[in-house]
Amino acid sequence: MHLIKQIRNVEPFKITLLFNTGENKTVDLSQKLIEWSQSEDSKFKELLVPEYFMTVKLNPELETVYWENGIDFCPDTLYRWANK
C-alpha cells in the first residue's frame, strides 16, 4: 500500500509527491482531468483552472492529496499513474 507523506512540488496539472516508500514521483493529471471534465456538472472542471489546481493539500490522516471541492485520489492510484 502506497501512502503520501509530502507534496514536494505543484505546477499546473502535475504534482510531485513523496511516498512512504521514500520515492518522489511526479503525477501528470492533465489527461485524466480533461477526460473527467466532459460532463457539464463535473467538479473536475475546477481542477482545470491552474490557480485552483495549485491549491492541492495533503490530508495527513488519510495520507493522500485533496482539494477543497471534495476531490481526492487514492494514493495507490497516484503511484501507479506516476509510473506511466
Side-chain angles (χ1 to χ4, degrees), residues 6-84:
Q6 188 177 42
I7 297 172
R8 289 287 172 101
N9 188 49
V10 182
E11 52 190 89
F13 320 120
K14 292 181 183 179
I15 309 171
T16 301
L17 304 165
L18 172 63
F19 286 87
N20 61 325
T21 60
E23 299 169 277
N24 287 297
K25 299 276 187 179
T26 300
V27 184
D28 184 347
L29 294 172
S30 57
Q31 292 302 312
K32 296 288 184 191
L33 295 177
I34 291 167
E35 178 184 332
W36 295 335
S37 295
Q38 298 303 310
S39 71
E40 217 170 286
D41 60 343
S42 172
K43 284 195 170 264
F44 289 99
K45 282 184 180 182
E46 294 177 43
L47 297 185
L48 286 173
V49 176
E51 295 80 15
Y52 188 74
F53 184 88
M54 307 264 300
T55 67
V56 65
K57 296 180 177 131
L58 177 69
N59 181 325
E61 290 177 22
L62 299 177
E63 297 182 283
T64 193
V65 296
Y66 74 99
W67 287 264
E68 290 295 327
N69 67 354
I71 292 177
D72 63 4
F73 290 99
C74 170
D76 278 324
T77 300
L78 290 171
Y79 185 89
R80 189 174 64 249
W81 288 345
N83 288 328
K84 292 187 177 184

